[in-house]
Amino acid sequence: MTSVLSRPHLLSMQQLTNEQIFHLFQLADQMKNNLYLPVERQTFAANVFLEPSTRTKMSFQVAETRLGLETMNLDGESSSFTKGESLYDTLKTLESIGVEVAVVRQSEVGLLDQCKDLNLSLINAGDGCGEHPTQSLLDLYTIHEHFQHFEGLHVAIAGDLKHSRVARSNAHALRKLGAEVSFVTKPEWQDPTLTDRYITMDEAVHECDVLMLLRIQHERHTDSGEELGYLENYGLTKEREAMMHPNAIILHPAPVNRGVEIDSDLVESPKSRIFRQMTNGVTIRMAIIEALLKGEL
Ligand code: CP
């Protein structure tokens, strides 16, 4: 069953051209400098979060409010998901009552593809180990804010690659934008879909312009004892940070496991852009919603 009309969605980084990515950066710059006019008609946005979230959910709420949208929240525990209602029927319900934008986090890779014909704009806020395009866009925006370009940059992505939707979204987009991508991980966390160069953390800190750290996704696998020796073997210690290029930056989508993938003192160090990423998350999410409502994506 489909609607007569459907609206644009943001489901994957693979759908965006480089021109669309830079258009979103321009919009985000306007949002950052308050050079935008909030929408004048009443527009409803629903945040449907069926997996835990702090940053994505809260920053979408701030972004929607700053854009002048009416914002609503739905979770898995206090909604009719508990009665077995499907994601499609839930989103169809939101469409039927006039919601125009739905931000969805849930655990099944690609499930939102089955809802693409609905007449409301869907934003993938993380689908299991699949993709996290709004996180990727805020990461790219933060890199561009610092370097003003992507060509020739070396971005090392380090951590639990196999279970990371952020790594997947970023690796694809960074390659397309002209950056070199390499990976640091345990052999058992290598991902056959991520075929770029695998290097050690010691090589990464000497070579990279951007070190993108990832947390261990304990909720997606049952390996035990994986934090033992992780910082020394695969993480960013103070000794390794001292080897980085003077102009290099550290990113992390967060939440951060301080003392596991990064020494706690480095989380707020001069090279770290971890909290800047969160600030940029609001402006880039405002830009994404605005572009979807205007039919620009
Ligand atoms: N980076 C990120 O997606 O954080 P949350 O899970 O807190 O939303």
Side-chain angles (χ1 to χ4, degrees):
M1 277 181 290
T2 61
S3 305
V4 177
L5 297 171
S6 68
R7 292 174 189 247
H9 311 297
L10 178 61
L11 302 186
S12 162
M13 286 306 285
Q14 312 237 11
Q15 78 182 64
L16 296 180
T17 63
N18 288 354
E19 289 69 31
Q20 285 174 315
I21 292 173
F22 285 115
H23 175 64
L24 287 170
F25 290 179
Q26 278 179 351
L27 273 178
D29 286 343
Q30 289 174 21
M31 304 296 177
K32 195 163 59 179
N33 297 311
N34 289 325
L35 298 173
Y36 70 96
L37 295 172
V39 287
E40 288 185 2
R41 70 202 163 87
Q42 193 176 45
T43 303
F44 290 97
N47 302 312
V48 181
F49 277 71
L50 308 181
E51 281 201 325
S53 169
T54 297
R55 272 146 295 276
T56 313
K57 186 174 174 183
M58 294 296 105
S59 63
F60 263 112
Q61 280 188 43
V62 173
E64 290 154 4
T65 304
R66 286 184 63 192
L67 282 172
L69 274 63
E70 305 286 339
T71 179
M72 300 178 291
N73 295 295
L74 203 64
D75 62 40
E77 286 76 44
S78 59
S79 66
S80 288
F81 281 106
T82 56
K83 304 170 200 164
E85 189 163 35
S86 67
L87 182 63
Y88 176 87
D89 282 341
T90 301
L91 294 172
K92 184 77 189 166
T93 301
L94 296 179
E95 177 204 54
S96 306
I97 63 173
V99 170
E100 293 183 48
V101 179
V103 179
V104 183
R105 171 170 291 190
Q106 53 78 43
S107 59
E108 195 176 324
V109 177
L111 185 60
L112 277 181
D113 286 336
Q114 298 170 18
C115 308
K116 278 197 300 201
D117 291 329
L118 293 173
N119 185 27
L120 77 175
S121 281
L122 299 171
I123 300 176
N124 179 3
D127 59 340
C129 301
E131 283 220 43
H132 195 348
T134 70
Q135 177 70 46
S136 176
L137 284 162
L138 77 86
D139 293 343
L140 297 175
Y141 186 64
T142 305
I143 294 171
H144 195 259
E145 185 177 57
H146 184 75
F147 292 100
Q148 304 295 313
H149 67 94
F150 292 100
E151 295 81 9
L153 289 181
H154 177 179
V155 182
I157 306 179
D160 185 356
L161 298 173
K162 195 170 179 176
H163 307 98
S164 173
R165 52 198 176 206
V166 177
R168 231 171 303 290
S169 290
N170 272 327
H172 173 82
L174 283 163
R175 275 186 230 114
K176 207 163 61 168
L177 288 162
E180 178 196 347
V181 180
S182 65
F183 300 113
V184 179
T185 193
K186 291 178 167 189
E188 59 268 35
W189 290 344
Q190 291 192 6
D191 186 318
T193 67
L194 300 174
T195 53
D196 306 70
R197 194 162 61 106
Y198 282 82
I199 59 177
T200 64
M201 187 54 112
D202 288 323
E203 289 169 326
V205 292
H206 280 102
E207 293 180 24
C208 74
D209 301 292
V210 180
L211 181 60
M212 187 178 290
L213 299 167
L214 305 168
R215 76 183 172 90
I216 303 172
Q217 306 244 335
H218 293 290
E219 71 275 28
R220 304 198 195 282
H221 51 94
T222 53
D223 310 352
S224 59
E226 52 207 356
E227 292 188 358
L228 281 177
Y230 188 86
L231 182 64
E232 293 69 28
N233 291 315
Y234 300 98
L236 187 63
T237 58
K238 286 180 185 165
E239 293 72 27
R240 289 193 178 113
E241 191 261 357
M243 301 294 160
M244 292 178 74
H245 293 173
N247 196 34
I249 58 172
I250 302 162
L251 302 186
H252 192 311
V256 178
N257 289 315
R258 287 176 182 251
V260 178
E261 61 267 13
I262 182 170
D263 185 290
S264 183
D265 289 345
L266 298 177
V267 174
E268 295 170 70
S269 64
K271 287 190 188 315
S272 172
R273 295 293 179 277
I274 296 173
F275 289 94
R276 183 70 193 163
Q277 285 170 271
M278 298 177 203
T279 304
N280 285 341
V282 173
T283 43
I284 205 76
R285 287 177 172 124
M286 289 172 74
I288 292 164
I289 294 167
E290 186 80 352
L292 287 169
L293 288 173
K294 287 182 175 165
E296 293 173 349
L297 289 184

